[in-house]
Amino acid sequence: MTQDIVTKIAVLGGTGKEGSGLALRWAAAGYDVTLGSRELEKAQRAAAELNVTLGQDSVRGLTNRDAAAQADIVVMTVPYAAHAATLESVKDVVQGKVFVDVTVPLDAQNVRRVKMPAAGSASVEAQQLLGEGVKVVAAFQNISAEHLKSLDREIECDVLVCGNDKDAKQQVIELAEAARVQAWDAGPIENALVVEGMTSVLINLNIKHKVKAAGIRITGIPRP
Ligand SMILES: NC(=O)c1ccc[n+]([C@@H]2O[C@H](COP(=O)([O-])OP(=O)(O)OC[C@H]3O[C@@H](n4cnc5c(N)ncnc54)[C@H](OP(=O)(O)O)[C@@H]3O)[C@@H](O)[C@H]2O)c1
C-alpha cells in the first residue's frame, strides 16, 4: 500500500468470525475495508460494530457483489457450503482482480477429517470457476479467528500463500504483514490442498489439547 493510493479490500462473508477479524486488522492498518454480506443491513451492522472497536468510522458494509465490484482485492471468508454460490455471485465483477480464498472445505460429518472437493481443493475450484482472468490466491486458512479478533494479540502462527501469480501472492503477503502475521510464498495454487487440509489437523489438535487456536510456524528460514 502506498501513502497516496489506499488499497480497497472487500471481505465477502465479512460478517462472520474469520472475515471480521481480518477486516479489523486491515482497517487498523489503514486499508479501505468493506464488509460484504448476502444482506446489506447485516453488512452495515457488522461494519458499525468493527468501527466501534476501531474507534473510527472507516469500515463500510455492502452486499457481497457491490463490495467485490468496488474493491481492488477481494477476500472470501464463507463456509464451504456457500463457496460455489458466492463465487458465482461475484464472478463477473472480480475479473482481473486479486481474489483471496480463505475457504476450508471441511467435512461437515467430521471436521477433524480432511475431505477435499473433486477439483482438488477449494482454491483450485475457485480458480476454475472464476477463470484464468482472476488471480486466485489461497491464504489465511490456518489462522484462527480467535487470534484475529483482538488487535492487541500477537499472532505466533504463520500464513502459507499459494497461487499462480507471483505479484498477486506478494500483495497477499503484504496484507498478512499488515495484519501482523508472517506469510510465506508456498508455491502454486495446487499446493493449497495441503494448506486447506492442515486446518483439519489443527482442529484435531484444538480438540485434543482443549485449546481454541492451534497454528503452524515455518522454521529453518531466517525470519524477516
Ligand atoms: N473461524 C475460523 O477460525 C477460521 C479459520 C480459518 C479459516 N476459516 C474458514 O473461513 C471461512 C469462514 O469461516 P467463519 O468461521 O468466518 O464462518 P462463519 O462465521 O460461519 O460464516 C461467515 C459468513 O459466511 C456467510 N454464510 C454463512 N453461511 C452461508 C451460506 N449457507 N450461504 C452463503 N453465505 C453464508 C455469512 O455471511 P452473511 O450471512 O452475512 O452473508 C457468514 O457471516 C470458512 O471456510 C472457514 O473454514 C475459518
Side-chain angles (χ1 to χ4, degrees), residues 12-20 36-39 42-43 64 76-83 85-86 101-106 139-148 199 203 212:
L12 313 183
T15 53
K17 298 177 280 294
E18 186 76 359
S20 63
S37 168
R38 288 167 293 177
E39 279 175 61
K42 188 175 173 185
N64 281 329
M76 186 168 74
T77 57
V78 297
Y80 182 66
H83 190 246
T86 310
D101 196 354
V102 187
T103 309
V104 178
L106 293 175
F140 303 108
Q141 300 95 332
N142 303 150
I143 298 288
S144 165
E146 190 65 26
H147 288 302
L148 298 166
T199 301
I203 291 171
K212 288 187 176 167

Side-chain angles (χ1 to χ4, degrees), residues 111-114 196-206 214:
V111 292
R112 293 191 277 183
R113 181 176 59 198
V114 174
E196 294 174 21
M198 179 61 67
T199 301
S200 291
V201 175
L202 295 173
I203 291 171
N204 255 288
L205 292 169
N206 284 343

Side-chain angles (χ1 to χ4, degrees), residues 19-29 33 35 50 53-54 59 148-151:
S20 63
L22 289 167
L24 176 70
R25 284 175 172 251
W26 289 328
V33 178
L35 301 185
L50 282 193
T53 307
L54 288 161
V59 178
L148 298 166
K149 68 183 184 188
S150 163
L151 285 173

Side-chain angles (χ1 to χ4, degrees), residues 3 64 69 78 92 94 109 116 123 131-132 139 148 163 173 188 192 204 224:
Q3 283 182 333
N64 281 329
V78 297
D92 58 327
V94 299
Q109 307 306 314
M116 287 295 147
S123 311
E132 291 305 315
L148 298 166
I173 288 170
N204 255 288

Side-chain angles (χ1 to χ4, degrees), residues 202-221:
L202 295 173
I203 291 171
N204 255 288
L205 292 169
N206 284 343
I207 294 168
K208 255 183 199 148
H209 296 274
K210 299 185 172 53
V211 297
K212 288 187 176 167
I216 58 154
R217 193 165 222 204
I218 299 302
T219 61
I221 310 173

